């Protein structure tokens, strides 16, 4: 029938009495006017809302579960439609929302995806199965509350990853956690692409159960539930290892968990890391150029020139978060490097680690003025679009050597103070400059923060280069 005919006799059919059917194939009809429904009632339970959870069907006056043998998106699609819960998001197996009780009513369900109810789909006879409740099928529909969330961040698209299972939110262990796993989380939450996949509780330690460990996604899955992982709740982790994600939808260009402080440019300074909502330093025990290489690469600062310790860029404040850092130099994320547990150390801030990266070696922000030629004169630096001078406190030949090298003026022959080439005007930008002499630019040297000095222009520093 087309469905528009006024009587059954107007539909196409085999000639009267001709069929290849047995009596077990009698057709039936249930009309709305009969007040009888042929659809077995269904529900989703133990999820965060009525549109996500373990699938249960009502048969013979009892609620029971569905075995996950051959359970797929087409089956889940029918469940979502029957419950008026929108489109299917995922069809988790393995008792994703906990094990049910009572009978396992259905097994080997095979829906086309167009059926109006789950009980219309092909399946084994009611109650016939070879399953246990550890194989209970589940569904997540678009109309459900999220079963996945990112927390402890100002934006919903960055933070510690938490999953909802067995009526409780819990975390994911960072063992094997990488950008492929993060990509699936970002996709599932509608947060764009994955920017980073921080481990080591980068967005703070969670509480409650650690639900997942050994997560291994291909990166193409629509939901985290489709990835492989250890059984729910099986792990050898603690909350220090909670996994996190930063997605492009957060507006965070890169994970804001690493910075250089106390230097004159963004590419040289004391290394500081953000953990548990607080910036802290790194102890220099074992700190070497391999560690510095990873830091410089991650910050977009080129190659590492040196890895100074002993608080070369001043003593930090707050916690010393990391000690005994050991990078291979090949890591793409500094937090992939080995180190002691967060906050465990035997150091003080006099051992804060630093790095000097190549960064921008332009000489356009440095000049010598009031001298006989371009390679001798009062030192001036460009900062905040204004030229200013340098105080001569601690100014010596090591500092002058860096200036001469940066300007392509040979070696330093003198480092006069006391405004030898006249007093400047405007800002005194730098004070207590302390170069080792090996730096490529003045910005890589240690100094007080920009604009902080206890000097006047009678103390302006100068340089005389061999030229």
């Amino acid at each position: 029938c087309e469905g528009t005919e006024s009587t059954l006799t107007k539909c196409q059919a085999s000639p009267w009495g001709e069929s290849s059917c047995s009596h077990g194939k009698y057709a039936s009809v249930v009309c709305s006017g009969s007040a009888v429904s042929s659809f077995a009632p269904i529900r989703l339970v133990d999820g965060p809302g009525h549109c996500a959870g373990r699938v249960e069907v009502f048969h013979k006056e009892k609620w029971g579960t569905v075995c996950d043998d051959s359970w797929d998106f087409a089956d889940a699609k029918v469940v979502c439609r029957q419950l008026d819960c929108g489109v299917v998001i995922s069809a988790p197996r393995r008792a994703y929302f906990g094990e049910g009780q009572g009978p396992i009513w259905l097994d080997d369900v095979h829906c086309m995806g167009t059926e109006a109810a789950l009980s219309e789909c092909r399946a084994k006879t009611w109650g016939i199965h070879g399953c246990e409740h550890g194989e209970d099928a589940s569904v997540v529909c678009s109309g459900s509350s999220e079963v996945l969330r990112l927390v402890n961040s100002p934006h919903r698209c960055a933070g510690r990853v938490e999953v909802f299972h067995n009526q409780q939110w819990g975390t994911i262990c960072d063992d094997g956690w990488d950008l492929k796993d993060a990509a699936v989380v970002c996709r599932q939450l509608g947060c764009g692409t994955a920017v980073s996949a921080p481990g080591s509780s980068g967005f703070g330690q969670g509480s409650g159960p650690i639900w997942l460990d050994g997560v291994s996604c291909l990166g193409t899955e629509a939901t985290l539930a489709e990835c492989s992982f250890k059984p729910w709740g099986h792990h050898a982790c603690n909350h220090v290892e909670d996994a996190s994600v930063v997605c492009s939808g957060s507006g965070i260009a890169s994970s804001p968990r690493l910075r250089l402080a106390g230097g004159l440019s963004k590419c040289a300074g004391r290394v500081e890391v953000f953990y548990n909502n607080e910036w802290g330093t790194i102890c220099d025990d074992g700190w070497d150029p391999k560690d510095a290489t990873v830091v410089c690469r991650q910050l977009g600062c080129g190659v590492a020139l040196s890895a100074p310790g002993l608080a070369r860029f001043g003593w930090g404040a707050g916690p010393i978060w990391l000690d005994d850092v050991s990078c291979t130099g090949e890591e793409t994320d500094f937090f992939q490097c080995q180190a002691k547990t967060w906050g465990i150390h035997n150091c003080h801030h006099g051992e804060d680690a630093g790095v000097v990266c190549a960064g921008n070696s332009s000489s356009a922000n440095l000049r010598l003025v009031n001298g006989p030629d371009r390679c001798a004169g009062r030192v001036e630096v460009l900062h905040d679009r204004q030229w200013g001078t340098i105080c001569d406190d601690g100014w010596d030949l090591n500092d002058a050597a860096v200036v001469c090298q940066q300007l392509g003026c040979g070696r330093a022959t003198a480092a006069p103070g006391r405004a030898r080439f006249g007093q400047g005007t405007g800002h005194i930008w730098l004070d207590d400059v302390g170069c080792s002499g090996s730096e490529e630019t003045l910005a890589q040297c240690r100094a007080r923060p920009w604009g902080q000095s206890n000097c006047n222009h009678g103390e302006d520093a100068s340089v005389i280069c061999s030229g």
Side-chain angles (χ1 to χ4, degrees), residues 148 150 161 163 172-189 192-199 212-229 243-247:
L148 177 72
L150 301 178
V161 185
V163 288
I172 298 177
C173 181
D174 64 7
D175 292 346
W177 187 254
D178 59 22
L179 277 173
K180 292 179 181 177
D181 308 321
V184 176
V185 171
C186 294
R187 181 180 300 117
Q188 184 172 348
L189 293 176
T193 58
V195 174
S196 63
L212 296 179
D213 188 16
V215 176
S216 180
C217 303
L218 297 173
T220 56
E221 296 87 349
T223 66
L224 199 64
E226 297 168 45
C227 303
S228 66
F229 43 78
S244 300
V245 164
V246 176
C247 307

Side-chain angles (χ1 to χ4, degrees), residues 379-443:
V379 185
E380 293 193 352
V381 288
L382 183 67
H383 176 67
D384 214 10
R385 296 189 291 182
Q386 281 187 288
W387 288 99
T389 63
I390 298 176
C391 180
D392 63 9
D393 290 348
W395 188 253
D396 61 20
L397 276 173
N398 286 335
D399 307 319
V402 176
V403 171
C404 294
Q405 175 178 300
Q406 186 173 346
L407 292 174
C409 284
R411 59 185 179 81
T413 59
R418 298 183 181 177
R420 165 77 68 85
F421 290 93
Q423 295 186 23
T425 57
H427 294 282
I428 299 175
W429 277 133
L430 296 177
D431 190 13
D432 292 332
V433 175
C435 303
S436 67
S438 61
E439 295 86 354
E440 290 188 0
T441 68
L442 196 64

Side-chain angles (χ1 to χ4, degrees), residues 10-83:
K10 292 183 179 179
C11 300
Q12 287 187 355
S14 298
W16 288 92
E18 292 185 17
S19 78
S20 58
C21 300
S22 65
H23 286 295
K25 293 191 176 180
Y26 279 157
S28 302
V29 167
V30 177
C31 303
S32 60
S34 69
V36 175
S37 173
S38 64
F39 301 159
I42 62 172
R43 67 184 183 185
L44 299 176
V45 299
D46 285 346
H50 77 283
C51 289
R54 181 177 62 253
V55 184
E56 294 193 352
V57 291
F58 194 70
H59 180 68
K60 288 189 176 178
E61 305 299 315
K62 273 189 181 180
W63 286 101
T65 64
V66 178
C67 182
D68 64 9
D69 293 344
S70 76
W71 187 253
D72 60 18
F73 259 58
D75 309 323
K77 186 177 181 181
V78 175
V79 172
C80 293
R81 180 185 300 115
Q82 185 174 352
L83 292 174

